[in-house]
Amino acid sequence: MDLQLSERTVLVTGGSSGVGLATVATLLDEGARVITCGRRLDALEKALADLGADSDRVHAVTCDVRREDEVAAMIEAGVRRFGGLDGVVNNAGQSRMLGLSDATIEDFRDELDLKFSSVLNTMTAALPHLKRSDAAAVVTINAVLARQPEPRLATTSAARAGLLNLTKTMALEFAECGIRVNSVCLGLIDTGQWRRRYEADARELSFAAWERELADDRGIALGRFGTADEVAAMVVTLLSPRASYVTGAALDVCGGVSRYLA
């Protein structure tokens, strides 16, 4: 199926690795042009080179998404180069292993700042350009933690719940401008960190057996981790004009781990 993304321009924050990089690759495969950023330009450029990305179709810069001025400069430069903006993937973020009893107010502030400012800065700068597109779409990368908190990730769970609410609000507010906004909520996705954790585990299990054991412990119905490519396929589908009647949705990409009904 043609996703009708050829020659459209999409911004992907956090494009150096994992889901962000896989999304960049999938968009390029669909014929889109991509604006992307990372904290380290050398790492981002190497990742894109390893993909074999056409430099004429990618605008890559270093950017701290918590800095409003840096985000605005990145988007303006990308729009000047490619002539417009049709989509945004809000992907910058991290998970913080921290239980409630150990978390400080500053920990919560830091986590909320990253989750919220990265999206709000990006959308503030992107919105005027998205309004000029005939098929504008936004996808916020979130996690199932937003609706089923994990005690070991107290600050991240709380911030992600707020981000889910914020994304829904954007969907409602931007609908009148013709801009669709959706969330993709992740479960356990193997972007390299799980392989490293496996290698640090001294137990005598194959990676596949270790993965199945952990998936069973976490209640993953499909019995395995997801991959960044599997996430990217869903993200790009939601960006596509083919999904023109989908907005305000939260799509779980989690192998059936969700423990809530709504």
Side-chain angles (χ1 to χ4, degrees):
M1 178 187 294
D2 179 10
L3 293 181
Q4 301 176 359
L5 289 167
S6 180
E7 301 308 314
R8 294 191 178 274
T9 300
V10 179
L11 166 66
V12 181
T13 60
S16 298
S17 62
V19 169
L21 182 60
T23 300
V24 170
T26 304
L27 285 166
L28 292 173
D29 286 345
E30 291 294 327
R33 296 167 297 206
V34 177
I35 304 166
T36 192
C37 64
R39 287 174 294 181
R40 290 177 45 213
L41 186 59
D42 58 340
L44 177 59
E45 290 179 337
K46 182 181 187 306
L48 294 171
D50 290 344
L51 276 184
D54 183 350
S55 60
D56 290 338
R57 306 192 68 79
V58 181
H59 181 77
V61 299
T62 182
C63 177
D64 182 346
V65 290
R66 292 169 296 187
R67 293 285 304 273
E68 184 178 4
D69 57 337
E70 293 186 15
V71 174
M74 168 184 64
I75 291 175
E76 290 304 315
V79 168
R80 282 198 304 272
R81 180 174 177 184
F82 293 135
L85 185 66
D86 302 287
V88 171
V89 180
N90 291 307
N91 175 61
Q94 62 184 8
S95 293
R96 184 180 301 204
M97 294 295 293
L98 195 62
L100 185 59
S101 61
D102 297 319
T104 67
I105 292 296
E106 283 305 313
D107 291 324
F108 277 97
R109 286 196 181 107
D110 288 346
E111 194 72 347
L112 288 166
D113 180 40
L114 175 59
K115 298 297 187 294
F116 278 67
S117 63
S118 63
V119 172
L120 293 171
N121 288 340
T122 300
M123 294 310 302
T124 297
L127 193 57
H129 306 291
L130 292 173
K131 287 179 177 178
R132 290 193 284 271
S133 172
D134 63 353
V138 177
V139 175
T140 296
I141 305 301
N142 207 324
V144 294
L145 292 173
R147 290 187 289 199
Q148 51 183 51
E150 166 58 61
R152 292 169 291 187
L153 294 158
T155 60
T156 297
S157 295
R160 290 203 176 281
L163 182 58
L164 186 64
N165 189 293
L166 174 62
T167 303
K168 183 77 169 183
T169 300
M170 291 192 299
L172 296 172
E173 184 163 326
F174 299 160
E176 65 180 20
C177 306
I179 302 170
R180 297 183 301 104
V181 186
N182 294 288
S183 296
V184 170
C185 297
L186 311 186
L188 294 188
I189 306 300
D190 183 13
T191 55
Q193 78 273 25
W194 289 106
R195 178 72 64 167
R196 291 189 290 273
R197 291 182 188 181
Y198 162 73
E199 291 170 353
D201 193 333
R203 298 167 60 196
E204 294 182 357
L205 285 175
S206 67
F207 179 76
W210 182 83
E211 178 183 33
R212 285 193 302 271
E213 185 178 273
L214 185 55
D216 182 63
D217 177 68
R218 299 295 180 89
I220 301 174
L222 292 182
R224 64 174 178 85
F225 303 152
T227 68
D229 288 341
E230 288 174 316
V231 177
M234 298 299 98
V235 173
V236 173
T237 298
L238 287 172
L239 289 170
S240 165
R242 296 286 189 182
S244 56
Y245 200 54
V246 181
T247 196
L251 174 63
D252 289 352
V253 183
C254 61
V257 74
S258 58
R259 297 184 292 275
Y260 51 86
L261 297 178

